[in-house]
Amino acid sequence: MRRYARLGFLAATTLFMLVPLYVLVVNAFKPQQEILASPFGLPLDGLTFEYLAKALDNPQFDIFRGYAVTLLFVVSVNVLSVVLAGPAAYVIARSPKRRFRVLMLFFLAGTFIPSQVLVIPVVYVLKTLGLMGTIRGFVLFETVLTLPFSIFLYAGYISTIPATLDQAANVDGAGRLRTFWRIIFPLMRPVVATMVILNTFSVWNDFVNPQIILGPGSGLYTVTTGVYAAVSQYSTDYTVVFPTLLLAIAPLLVFFVIMQRHIISGLTAGATKG
Amino acid sequence: MRSGIARGQGLATAIMVVPATVLYAVMLVVPVGLAFYLSLTDWDGFSANPAVVGLDNYGRLLGDPELRRAALVTLLVAGAGTAGLNLLGLGFALLVNGRSRANTFFRMVLFYPHVLSALVVGFLWSAILGTTGAVNSFITQRGGEVLPFLSDPAWATVTMIAVLVWAGFGVNVVLYLAGLQAVPHSLIEAAQIDGATRWQTFRNVTLPALGPSVTVNVVLSLVTLLKTYDLVVSLTAGGPAGQTQTVAYLILWNSFHDARLGFGSAQSVVLMVVTAALAFVVTRLRRRGETAAHQ
C-alpha cells in the first residue's frame, strides 16, 4: 500500500515537472489561435512546421550562428581552462613548498566570489586592456571564472595519483612539463570530464556576462542572449516564443538525456563549490 | 650541470604556474579590489578617469526606496526559496533513495530543469502563467476568471519563488542523496530493532546524521538565491511596476541602463558583504545547533 502511494506521488510529481516541457514541445507546432484555444492539446489535426522554420530564419537572431558562436565559446573556454588549470594544479599538488600552498588558498578564495559582483569592475579592466566587446576578452573572463574550482578539483585528484610515477618519468629524463602532459594528464580523464561538463553548461547558459561583455552592439549572440533578443519583445507572440525556446534547449536536453549520470554527478560537484 | 637542470625545472614550473596565476589576478583579484574603488566614484562606464565621490554612493543607497523594496523582495525570495528548496530537496531525496531503475528516472526528471538556463525557464513559465498564457487560456475558456500569476505584485513574487524552487530543487535532491549515502546503515537498523517508528528513526537518527549536508544545502541555496537575476529578467522583467526587482536586477539596471556603474558597484559590494555574512551566520548557527544536539 505504502509502496503504491509512493509511486503514485512520484508519478504525479513527474507529470508536474514535465508539463512545462510538454507545453513547450506541442505548442512549437501550432499556430497562435490554436495555442490560445487549446494550450494543452496535441496538434493532431494541424501539425505545422511553419513557425519552427520561421524561428530558424529569424532576422533578429540567427539560431545556427548562435549555436556556432556558443559552441566556439564552449570549446575555447574548455581548452584554455584545461591548459591553464591542469599544469598549475600539478605543480601545486606535487610541491611541498609553502608558496604553492599559499597559491592554492589564493585560487580557492576565488570560488566564493559571485560573478555578478565581478561584471562591473571587469568591464573596467577589459576597457583598459582594449578587450571590451571582443571574443578574446569574453573567452578570457569566462575561462578565469572556471580556474579556481578547476585547480581545486584537479589538485585534489592529482594528489591521489602515486608520485612514484613522476619519479619514474624523471629517471627516464622527462622534464616536469613532459611528465605532466604524458604521464599524469591521461590519468585525469574522469575529473577533466567532470569539469568539462560543468563548464559547458555554465558557458552555454550564461546570460549576464555575454550580454554585458559582448553587448548587443557587437552582433555576437550566444544561444542565451539570442533567445533574449528574439523573445523578450514578443513574449505574447507564442509562435515566436515556443519554437525559439525549443531550438535553444534541444541540444542541451539531448546531451543531458544521453549523459545524465555523468552530468548529474558533475553538476553536483559544481553546485557544492559555493 | 646540476644547476642547469634545476634552472630548467624552475623554468618549467614557471611556465606551468604563471599564466594561470597572472590571468586570475588580472581578471578576478584586481576586479574585486576595483569593485571597492569604483563604489567610491561616479563612474558612468565610459570616462577613463571617474571622479572620487567618497561614500556618497553608500549614503544614496541607504535612502533609496527602490533599493529598499528590492532588498525586501530579495530577502523574501532567498528565505522562502531556501525553505522550499530544502524541504522539497530532502523530502524527495528520501523518496527516491535506493537503487532502482525507477529511482534513476525520477532523479533525472527532478533534476532536468537545472540543465536549462534560468532565462529559458523564465520565458517558458511566463508563457504558461502570463495573462494570455496556457493556464489562463484554459481557465477563461471554461468561464473562469484570469488568475494574476504575474500581473499582481504579491502573486508575481510568489510565482517567482515557486518557479525558482521548481527549477532548482533537483540539485538539492541530488546533494541530499549524497548525504544519505553517508548515514550509517547500522544506526538505522538499530533504531528499527529498538522499535522506533519511521518518523522517530528519521527525526532522531537520519536527520542528525545529515547535519553537514543540511548546512551545505542551506548555505548554497541562500547564496544562489541572493543573486537571482536571469529569472527576473525573463519571468517578470521586474514587474509589475518594478515590484519584483531583486537587488542583482537593480545593480545591473542601475549600472548598464542608467550608466551609474559607481552606484552599482556600491550595491554589489553591499550584496557581496551581506551574502558572505549570511553564509557565515548560518554556518555558525548550524554548527552550534549540531554541538547542542550532541550534548
Side-chain angles (χ1 to χ4, degrees), chain A residues 6 14 17 20 36-37 39 88 103 106-107 110 120-121 127 176 201 205 207-208 212 224 228 238 256 260 268 271, chain B residues 13 16-17 24 31 45 95 103 106 108 112 115 117 119 125 132 134 137 141 166 174-175 220 229 233 252 255-256:
Chain A
R6 172 182 161 273
T14 299
M17 293 306 288
L36 292 174
L103 192 63
F106 178 63
F107 278 116
I120 301 169
K127 281 202 163 153
R176 260 200 144 160
F201 280 98
N205 286 334
F207 173 60
V208 181
I212 284 166
T224 312
Y228 179 71
Y238 298 120
F256 174 66
Q260 55 98 4
T268 314
Chain B
T13 306
M16 295 175 93
V17 176
Y24 172 78
L95 280 179
N103 280 345
F106 289 133
M108 187 169 99
Y112 91 90
V115 172
S117 72
L119 197 82
W125 277 101
T132 59
S137 299
Q141 269 155 30
W166 176 86
V174 176
L175 289 177
L220 193 69
Y229 171 75
V233 171
L252 288 156
S255 298
F256 296 102

Side-chain angles (χ1 to χ4, degrees), chain A residues 30-39 51 239, chain B residues 137 141:
Chain A
K30 291 183 201 165
Q32 178 88 351
Q33 290 94 326
E34 206 185 325
I35 296 174
L36 292 174
S38 106
Y51 302 100
T239 58
Chain B
S137 299
Q141 269 155 30

